[in-house]
Amino acid sequence: MTSKRQQLEQWTTVVADTGDLEKIAALRPHDATTNPSLLLAAARDERFRYLLDQARELAREMGHGDDLAWCCDAFACVAGQAVLEHIPGLVSTEVDARLSFDTAATVAKARRLMALYRELGVGGDRVLIKAAATWEGIQAARILEEEGIHCNLTLVFAVEQALAAAEAGATLISPFVGRIRDWHVKQGLEINHVDQDPGVQSVRRIFHLFKARGLETIVMGASFRNAAEIEALAGCDRLTISPALLDELGNDDGTLERRLEDTNVEPETDWQPVNEAAFRWSLNENPMASDLLSDGIRRFAADQRALEQRLTEEEIAA
């Protein structure tokens, strides 16, 4: 029998949403995504303690062994290199969330991450630089893409974020499903069927808009709460999925229906690009997107600080 995961992989590139190297090796996804939360979990795991040592050594080799920010960046890249040993595709490495409203600083951080990857012998064709889909993050992606540094715009909760990122030439965007669902449920929404899930509806709309407008940016649905949400997006360009849900799909021999296709999308030619004023106003008028974007940035920033603290403790212990 063919599992639902195998059926999904006929139409969609499967990406592992984890920093656990052993799980990545076992699951054998095409790509993998990391973020400060996943890196923090890895840094706290004794199985991956050696990565902290490698990160400190890399920072020293680059002449910044005493700089905590460099050590954190080195850890992200060392972890990314380790992930790439188990997958054929790409790894996403995230810029410090505290730079989400600073275009120049985001660009500089991305260049530093790529310099570290080069030192490790990792080519730019294997890495996506992740940044929050703020206006500043999107403009940073525009600059980086022009330099040949490929970007993943994350924390996408609104169509305007997705369109602005695609119009800036971002390689990939990560619209979140589960967090959108959670927000609406907290507001009292009852969801009796997955097709009523606002997170699923959001990704479907973005996918169809991109195809209708001829935008080449990859749509990668993220942040899933259950397998039904994943199944409802079968056919999306890529989906980043937790190990638990990948296992669930791999153990399910039921029939999976393709839900998203680009062959039957009516072309749309009469549309205007998203400018800064429209972008900011749309977020202002969208309390869900505003709340979740701000909350996501705060969460990643908090985990980045915790990661810095972990590296500091390790340095003292060493």
Side-chain angles (χ1 to χ4, degrees), residues 3 44 81 147 151 192 217 223 238 240 252 277 289 308:
S3 71
R44 288 172 169 168
Q81 179 196 38
E147 296 179 0
C151 297
N192 298 312
T217 294
S223 171
R238 301 188 192 193
T240 181
D252 189 339
E308 291 172 350

Side-chain angles (χ1 to χ4, degrees), residues 100-103 133-139 158 160-161 164 274-287 289-290 293 297:
S100 295
F101 303 100
D102 189 329
T103 295
T134 58
W135 181 257
E136 294 80 6
I138 291 169
Q139 300 319 301
E160 290 78 11
Q161 288 176 285
V274 179
N275 60 32
E276 181 177 358
F279 179 92
R280 295 194 186 281
W281 181 252
S282 70
L283 285 184
N284 183 73
E285 290 295 281
N286 187 337
S290 296
L293 177 59
I297 291 171

Side-chain angles (χ1 to χ4, degrees), residues 45-64:
D45 193 323
E46 285 299 316
R47 293 176 299 163
F48 309 126
R49 184 188 182 93
Y50 68 95
L51 294 176
L52 297 174
D53 297 331
Q54 290 180 11
R56 282 194 293 270
E57 180 59 29
L58 176 59
R60 281 194 289 268
E61 290 175 1
M62 299 291 284
H64 300 279

Side-chain angles (χ1 to χ4, degrees), residues 233-252:
L233 294 174
C236 189
D237 300 330
R238 301 188 192 193
L239 297 175
T240 181
I241 305 170
S242 70
L245 290 176
L246 279 175
D247 281 337
E248 183 176 339
L249 291 168
N251 293 324
D252 189 339

Side-chain angles (χ1 to χ4, degrees), residues 43-217:
R44 288 172 169 168
D45 193 323
E46 285 299 316
R47 293 176 299 163
F48 309 126
R49 184 188 182 93
Y50 68 95
L51 294 176
L52 297 174
D53 297 331
Q54 290 180 11
R56 282 194 293 270
E57 180 59 29
L58 176 59
R60 281 194 289 268
E61 290 175 1
M62 299 291 284
H64 300 279
D66 296 327
D67 188 313
L68 182 58
W70 271 88
C71 289
C72 284
D73 292 343
F75 178 69
C77 294
V78 165
Q81 179 196 38
V83 167
L84 288 171
E85 293 175 356
H86 300 290
I87 61 174
L90 307 173
V91 66
S92 291
T93 297
E94 191 147 352
V95 168
D96 189 332
R98 292 169 293 188
L99 306 178
S100 295
F101 303 100
D102 189 329
T103 295
T106 296
V107 169
K109 179 70 78 171
R111 290 170 177 162
R112 177 193 290 183
L113 291 169
M114 294 310 299
L116 286 162
Y117 269 119
R118 286 193 297 272
E119 188 71 15
L120 291 168
V122 176
D125 59 336
R126 301 293 309 280
V127 178
L128 291 174
I129 294 295
K130 284 177 74 176
T134 58
W135 181 257
E136 294 80 6
I138 291 169
Q139 300 319 301
R142 184 190 301 276
I143 295 168
L144 293 167
E145 291 282 357
E146 290 175 353
E147 296 179 0
I149 298 174
H150 302 300
C151 297
N152 170 355
L153 272 299
T154 189
L155 296 175
V156 173
F157 302 103
V159 169
E160 290 78 11
Q161 288 176 285
L163 290 174
E167 291 161 11
T171 296
L172 181 149
I173 62 163
S174 298
F176 281 38
V177 176
R179 293 193 194 186
I180 292 177
R181 177 189 185 279
D182 294 346
W183 190 92
H184 284 283
V185 168
K186 287 181 180 178
Q187 304 306 308
L189 178 69
E190 292 188 12
I191 301 173
N192 298 312
H193 189 276
V194 70
D195 288 338
Q196 300 171 331
D197 187 320
V200 169
Q201 293 172 349
S202 176
V203 176
R204 286 177 177 173
R205 184 183 177 197
I206 290 167
F207 177 89
H208 287 124
L209 273 174
F210 279 22
K211 305 314 175 187
R213 297 185 180 186
L215 297 167
E216 296 181 356
T217 294

Side-chain angles (χ1 to χ4, degrees), residues 30-45:
H30 188 273
D31 298 345
T33 56
T34 66
N35 60 44
S37 305
L38 298 175
L39 290 176
L40 176 61
R44 288 172 169 168
D45 193 323

